[in-house]
Amino acid sequence: MFCGATIALSLLSLLLLSPVTLSDKCNPQDKKVLLQIKKDFNNPYLLSSWDPKTGCCGWYSIQCDEKTNRVISLDISDSPAFTNFSGHIPPSVGDLPYLESLTFHKLPYLTGPIQPAIAKLKNLKYLFIEYTNVSGSIPPFLAELKNLQLLHLSTNNLSGPIPSSLSQLPKLESLHLDRNKLTGPIPESFGSFKKPGPDLILSHNQLSGPIPASLGQLDPDRIDLSRNKFEGDASVLFGSKKKTQILDVSRNLLSFDFSKVDFPKQSLIWLDINHNKIYGKIPVALTKVENLQQFNVSYNRLCGAIPQGGTGRLQDRFDEYAYLHNKCLCGKPLPKCK
């Protein structure tokens, strides 16, 4: 009886001690770097849990590898506006050699350029700098991060051109550069991304020029080029054999014959081409798109009857606002053709 109680007490002691032991595990060099990062940000309230007396693997925003105890993720996010988190991304972030994920998110007082020392993080898979006031250009050195899978730089103050070198990222699955102040064309080199190519989210910028014909070689799930100044032919983005789910080229200066494009019959769920100079007829092939949920061709130069019937049922799924302000479209849900 006494022996059993002793064993039970020992097990209870282990359970109570285990969380403390785990949180105490922390690579000394990583801990030193993290404390330097905290200092570089002027010891903000957001990082108050970064206590040198405790193990860094238990700190807010830190994730460590369970076996090696090296820091693999740094996620500084969602600072309320009243906190004192401000400054530039410090060079010290480049001194976490095992880092796989780096996030700065919803930090309105984070300013300055994308830190060049990030190029040292050769194990980085995920880079998120979003909803900040980081500014300057998108640095070409990001192409040196050959393990990068997700590159999300949305909703900042970034300006200048998109570096053509980003197409040299062999594992990239998603590229979000939307809601910045980027200018210039989509690099022709983007057609050389490893197929099927990354999701391309480039909306809400000041990008211009033609859509590179090379993009027709890619087949990502999502393409959003809306609210820019792209011109000319975007028909290379369409195709019956593609697996596109979302295609949005709305609010540009595009001009091509819509009659001649084809569509993925099963994967396409979102098609928006509104506010362009696109002409021709609405293709009958659209009536065979099975799962279309969002559709808008308004404010173009389309003409002719809206195709009726088919599994797509364009005339029933979408109201007149999806078709308004074209040259001479007619038929349900618009007035009858004469």
Side-chain angles (χ1 to χ4, degrees):
M1 186 73 175
F2 178 77
C3 183
T6 304
I7 293 171
L9 187 61
S10 299
L11 287 172
L12 180 62
S13 299
L14 282 172
L15 287 171
L16 290 171
L17 288 171
S18 292
V20 178
T21 305
L22 286 172
S23 63
D24 275 347
K25 290 181 178 178
C26 180
N27 179 272
Q29 183 58 34
D30 288 351
K31 184 174 184 177
K32 181 180 179 181
V33 171
L34 291 171
L35 291 173
Q36 182 61 49
I37 291 172
K38 181 182 180 181
K39 182 180 179 182
D40 291 340
F41 278 123
N42 296 314
N43 301 307
Y45 173 78
L46 192 63
L47 304 182
S48 59
S49 70
W50 292 19
D51 184 346
K53 298 178 182 178
T54 61
C56 67
C57 294
W59 293 352
Y60 159 79
S61 81
I62 303 299
Q63 181 183 347
C64 294
D65 184 274
E66 292 181 0
K67 294 181 180 179
T68 65
N69 300 314
R70 300 303 301 252
V71 173
I72 58 172
S73 177
L74 172 58
D75 181 345
I76 302 177
S77 297
D78 302 317
S79 172
F82 56 81
T83 70
N84 63 340
F85 193 96
S86 62
H88 296 185
I89 300 173
S92 45
V93 299
D95 295 328
L96 294 168
Y98 292 88
L99 205 64
E100 296 179 5
S101 179
L102 176 61
T103 299
F104 295 100
H105 182 73
K106 285 188 177 179
L107 302 167
Y109 303 117
L110 184 67
T111 57
I114 296 176
Q115 173 55 239
I118 290 174
K120 294 158 60 177
L121 302 173
K122 301 304 182 184
N123 290 301
L124 202 64
K125 297 177 181 178
Y126 315 111
L127 178 58
F128 303 101
I129 303 175
E130 300 179 295
Y131 294 92
T132 77
N133 271 301
V134 166
S135 60
S137 60
I138 297 175
F141 66 70
L142 293 177
E144 299 172 21
L145 302 173
K146 300 303 183 184
N147 287 303
L148 211 57
Q149 296 175 22
L150 306 181
L151 176 56
H152 290 190
L153 305 176
S154 305
T155 318
N156 297 296
N157 275 319
L158 298 170
S159 58
I162 300 173
S164 60
S165 58
L166 294 183
S167 62
Q168 298 168 17
L169 292 168
K171 299 180 180 179
L172 197 64
E173 298 174 3
S174 181
L175 179 63
H176 289 210
L177 306 178
D178 52 299
R179 297 178 187 275
N180 282 289
K181 299 174 182 177
L182 302 176
T183 55
I186 298 174
E188 185 73 33
S189 65
F190 272 25
S192 62
F193 272 116
K194 186 178 179 181
K195 294 180 181 179
D199 289 349
L200 290 176
I201 313 299
L202 309 180
S203 66
H204 295 80
N205 279 290
Q206 299 165 29
L207 298 168
S208 60
I211 306 294
S214 62
L215 287 192
Q217 302 171 39
L218 304 182
D219 190 15
D221 291 336
R222 299 177 60 198
I223 298 177
D224 187 351
L225 310 181
S226 63
R227 295 179 182 267
N228 281 289
K229 301 175 183 178
F230 293 120
E231 302 173 354
D233 189 358
S235 61
V236 295
L237 304 178
F238 297 81
S240 60
K241 295 182 180 180
K242 290 182 178 288
K243 298 178 181 178
T244 312
Q245 297 177 16
I246 295 175
L247 180 53
D248 191 341
V249 295
S250 61
R251 296 182 181 270
N252 279 287
L253 303 169
L254 298 169
S255 178
F256 60 94
D257 189 348
F258 199 48
S259 312
K260 296 181 179 180
V261 300
D262 208 343
F263 311 90
K265 304 298 187 291
Q266 296 181 326
S267 63
L268 191 64
I269 58 173
W270 184 297
L271 177 61
D272 195 340
I273 65 169
N274 80 78
H275 284 82
N276 280 289
K277 302 175 182 179
I278 299 167
Y279 56 91
K281 297 181 178 181
I282 296 178
V284 175
L286 263 175
T287 64
K288 298 178 182 179
V289 176
E290 299 175 2
N291 301 305
L292 202 57
Q293 298 171 20
Q294 170 69 22
F295 177 68
N296 194 336
V297 297
S298 64
Y299 291 89
N300 277 291
R301 298 175 181 178
L302 300 173
C303 207
I306 296 170
Q308 306 290 305
T311 53
R313 298 192 63 79
L314 299 178
Q315 75 278 17
D316 297 326
R317 284 192 186 181
F318 308 104
D319 60 24
E320 62 186 64
Y321 295 102
Y323 303 96
L324 288 177
H325 298 282
N326 272 285
K327 188 176 181 181
C328 53
L329 279 181
C330 59
K332 189 178 178 181
L334 298 179
K336 290 183 180 181
C337 297
K338 297 179 181 179

